[in-house]
Amino acid sequence: MSAQVNETLIRDVVAEVLSRLGGPSAPAKPASAPTVNPACGCPVEGKPPRAVTRGRFGVFQDANEACEAAHEAYLQLSEKGVAGRNRVVQIVKDLCFANAKEWARLELEETKIGRLDHKIEKLLSQRGIPGVEFLNPYGLSGDHGITLEEYAPFGVIGAVTPSTHSIPTMACNIISMAAAGNAAVFNAHPAAYKCAVTAARVFNEAIHRELGIENLACVIDPPTLDSFNAIAKNEHVKLLCVTGGPGVVKAAMASGKRAICAGPGNPPVLVDGTSCLNNAAKCVIFGAAYDNNLLCIGEKEVFVLESVFDRFMAALEKQGAFRLNEAQVAKLTQAAFVFPAGQGAGCPHPVVNRELVGRDPEVLARIAGATIPSGTQLLFAETGADHLFVEEEQMMPFLPIVRVKSVEEGIVEAKKAEHGYKHSAIIHSHDVANMTAMARALETTLFIKNGACVAGLGNGGEGYPNFSIATTTGEGICNPRTFTRVRRCVMVDKLRIF
Ligand code: NAD
């Protein structure tokens, strides 16, 4: 018998014994799964819950058990009404706020990528994630009575989270999904799952204390490709939501289930010289240096009009970024990309070296053979438009800056670099014709003018944040409505009051 089975067995026996004793040391009695649907009084379909789901607080080794537990939690949540959903949203937000420093540190220690200050900020920003209030029904009233279109839950949602923001993505997914009345099962990134397990347990314990629901946000410990496949196939899972690179998007879309895919990006920036170059430089540094350029919306390459190119490079230096020379860029490039054998036909395709993703500028500078002042947030250099740092989504605090002869050329190159992901693009300009031309050409989900990329997620711009931006499948910045089915309720000829 494996250690895992032993642990499972022991947990179940202890939970069972404690619940029979019912004494002060027993855990709070969990809400039982409803046997009737609270909405209509009809019997609820499905098997009764098993004791195996007790005492786990969302943490499961077995994906199918997690889906079953989440299904039970979904039914329990529907019994708690809108007030229950509101409580879940507030509990998750409050816990992210209270544990921001601790969880950010945990995530950084586990993944070793990004920056502590920004990881803390990402958890604090959960306060701005929309909740139940986002689900205003759409009403129609006319000669034939009244009709209401409502945003109803799917049930259990299978979710995949990235290594770049593990707890923040899980937390904002839980807020949006639970606000809409759903439960979730998460397969976190194998390099960032321990912190997700810690946070999920704390969320579920708090939700259980207040609402008696034990497994509303389940996580798999440890996550594997097999557990992803099991989640995707499970009968209770009605929808997938994946946040990550091209691999997981492909896997989700091939699953046969409806999938909301927050896919990869490679956001280009265009600087046309009609706006303040110092502001453009400041914004570009802030966005590209954010969490060491781990954000999918982060500035990854900049195209600058030749006429203002030198002034823009000087502005970047003035604002604190460090310029690498040609030889240093060559050394960094050699280390930042690998050419795995067996890939490509005679000309292997470069792959970003994961060892350097999200690492500090000091680490990159050392590799490049440069000495930089302490506190430097970003490295940059002039490159060609076909440089690997332009073409690949590199997620490092080094920014390639490309000289272009015209706005038209800049837009063409930006579109090429974006690879049709339709994710994010940024322009620094006061020329509305240039803004319009770029927006139309790139068709990105986020298009930011005269700000840092994060302005697109409410940090310096108007709007609410979220760490899942459904680019590939087109739902946009995820919010509670993203995780709903629209249901129409029609009253014929009556109830119109005038
Ligand atoms: P990744 O693609 O390596 O992993 C993302 C998740 O997918 C992980 O949980 C991973 O285990 C899982 N995964 C990967 N291949 C899979 C497969 N074949 N089947 C099942 N699961 C699979 O990405 P990452 O390095 O963790 O994150 C960075 C990537 O995610 C970048 O491409 C970035 O642009 C993208 N991202 C997008 C958004 C968005 O909102 N659009 C947000 C964050 C990150």
Side-chain angles (χ1 to χ4, degrees):
M1 198 187 283
S2 72
Q4 238 176 34
V5 173
N6 269 333
E7 196 191 322
T8 307
L9 197 63
I10 290 163
R11 256 192 237 267
D12 292 347
V13 171
V14 171
E16 178 68 9
V17 169
L18 286 176
S19 72
R20 280 188 197 186
L21 286 174
S25 59
K29 195 171 181 301
S32 58
T35 49
V36 293
N37 184 330
C40 58
C42 296
V44 165
E45 286 172 28
K47 297 172 223 143
R50 294 195 285 143
V52 80
T53 63
R54 297 286 166 258
R56 301 296 188 84
F57 299 110
V59 183
F60 289 84
Q61 277 95 47
D62 183 287
N64 286 313
E65 278 178 13
C67 294
E68 196 174 321
H71 179 65
E72 183 196 5
Y74 155 64
L75 296 174
Q76 292 169 334
L77 183 64
S78 60
E79 267 199 330
K80 301 284 173 191
V82 176
R85 298 180 191 188
N86 260 324
R87 261 328 283 153
V88 173
V89 166
Q90 204 51 50
I91 287 168
V92 175
K93 289 184 177 186
D94 289 349
L95 286 170
C96 286
F97 187 76
N99 293 291
K101 283 188 186 152
E102 173 61 12
W103 287 354
R105 187 188 56 74
L106 269 186
E107 186 160 335
L108 184 58
E109 277 175 12
E110 183 180 0
T111 61
K112 301 184 175 48
I113 58 175
R115 282 172 49 169
L116 186 64
D117 53 346
H118 293 143
K119 292 206 185 300
I120 294 171
E121 248 184 47
K122 290 196 281 190
L123 285 163
L124 296 176
S125 77
Q126 302 289 328
R127 283 173 298 180
I129 307 286
V132 176
E133 72 286 352
F134 222 75
L135 300 172
N136 285 330
Y138 175 59
L140 294 157
S141 174
D143 293 342
H144 278 301
I146 61 165
T147 287
L148 203 59
E149 286 185 348
E150 296 221 73
Y151 297 103
F154 273 88
V156 178
I157 301 174
V160 175
T161 50
S163 61
T164 46
H165 357 274
S166 184
I167 304 178
T169 309
M170 182 178 73
C172 71
N173 280 179
I174 297 172
I175 292 169
S176 307
M177 291 170 185
N182 302 285
V185 179
F186 289 89
N187 215 44
H189 193 288
Y193 80 93
K194 290 183 188 142
C195 56
V197 165
T198 299
R201 187 177 279 119
V202 174
F203 291 145
N204 285 302
E205 280 170 353
I207 294 167
H208 182 240
R209 262 194 312 276
E210 285 205 34
L211 296 168
I213 306 173
E214 212 169 306
N215 298 302
L216 194 64
C218 299
V219 283
I220 310 302
D221 175 11
T224 60
L225 284 183
D226 286 344
S227 59
F228 167 77
N229 287 327
I231 292 169
K233 283 201 184 87
N234 189 279
E235 58 172 335
H236 293 306
V237 174
K238 306 297 183 203
L239 177 71
L240 295 174
C241 172
V242 304
T243 305
V248 70
V249 168
K250 203 168 157 199
M253 288 180 118
S255 70
K257 291 248 163 95
R258 186 181 158 212
I260 292 165
C261 297
N266 194 32
V269 184
L270 180 61
V271 179
D272 72 0
T274 59
S275 64
C276 171
L277 291 178
N278 275 330
N279 182 57
K282 204 165 140 190
C283 293
V284 161
I285 293 170
F286 186 66
Y290 200 95
D291 213 12
N292 284 342
N293 212 348
L294 287 182
L295 293 180
C296 58
I297 57 168
E299 288 86 348
K300 296 291 190 292
E301 60 278 331
V302 187
F303 300 94
V304 185
L305 235 64
E306 198 162 37
S307 52
V308 293
F309 188 86
D310 292 339
R311 278 168 52 214
F312 181 70
M313 297 298 261
L316 283 172
E317 277 181 301
K318 192 173 148 204
Q319 297 295 334
F322 186 89
R323 184 171 183 167
L324 297 183
N325 63 33
E326 218 178 305
Q328 290 165 337
V329 174
K331 272 176 102 172
L332 180 61
T333 308
Q334 208 169 22
F337 298 92
V338 289
F339 295 82
Q343 288 193 26
C347 175
H349 187 75
V351 172
V352 173
N353 179 2
R354 306 280 302 194
E355 292 296 309
L356 296 193
V357 164
R359 301 302 296 275
D360 291 337
E362 289 77 19
V363 175
L364 303 188
R366 212 176 305 129
I367 289 168
T371 309
I372 60 173
S374 83
T376 301
Q377 303 206 18
L378 186 73
L379 311 178
F380 72 101
E382 179 172 2
T383 73
D386 55 356
H387 197 276
L388 284 181
F389 267 105
V390 174
E391 288 180 350
E392 301 298 318
E393 188 195 14
Q394 29 96 0
M395 295 184 282
M396 298 171 201
F398 167 78
L399 204 56
I401 318 286
V402 180
R403 197 185 286 260
V404 290
K405 289 196 169 58
S406 63
V407 167
E408 290 72 23
E409 184 190 336
I411 291 175
V412 167
E413 293 300 344
K415 188 175 166 71
K416 223 190 281 174
E418 217 273 325
H419 301 300
Y421 290 139
K422 300 191 177 173
H423 198 299
S424 302
I426 297 125
I427 190 168
H428 289 276
S429 170
H430 281 170
D431 186 318
V432 290
N434 293 346
M435 293 174 188
T436 311
M438 187 171 177
R440 288 189 179 167
L442 272 74
E443 299 181 271
T444 48
T445 307
L446 282 166
F447 185 53
I448 295 120
K449 301 162 208 80
N450 302 321
C453 66
V454 289
L457 292 181
N459 185 347
E462 286 304 318
Y464 55 86
N466 202 284
F467 291 95
S468 293
I469 303 158
T471 45
T472 321
T473 45
E475 292 82 0
I477 296 140
C478 288
N479 61 60
R481 264 207 306 265
T482 314
F483 304 106
T484 58
R485 303 163 52 220
V486 180
R487 296 177 58 191
R488 179 178 283 193
C489 196
V490 181
M491 177 68 183
V492 178
D493 290 344
K494 293 283 186 288
L495 282 184
R496 182 176 157 93
I497 56 173
F498 60 95

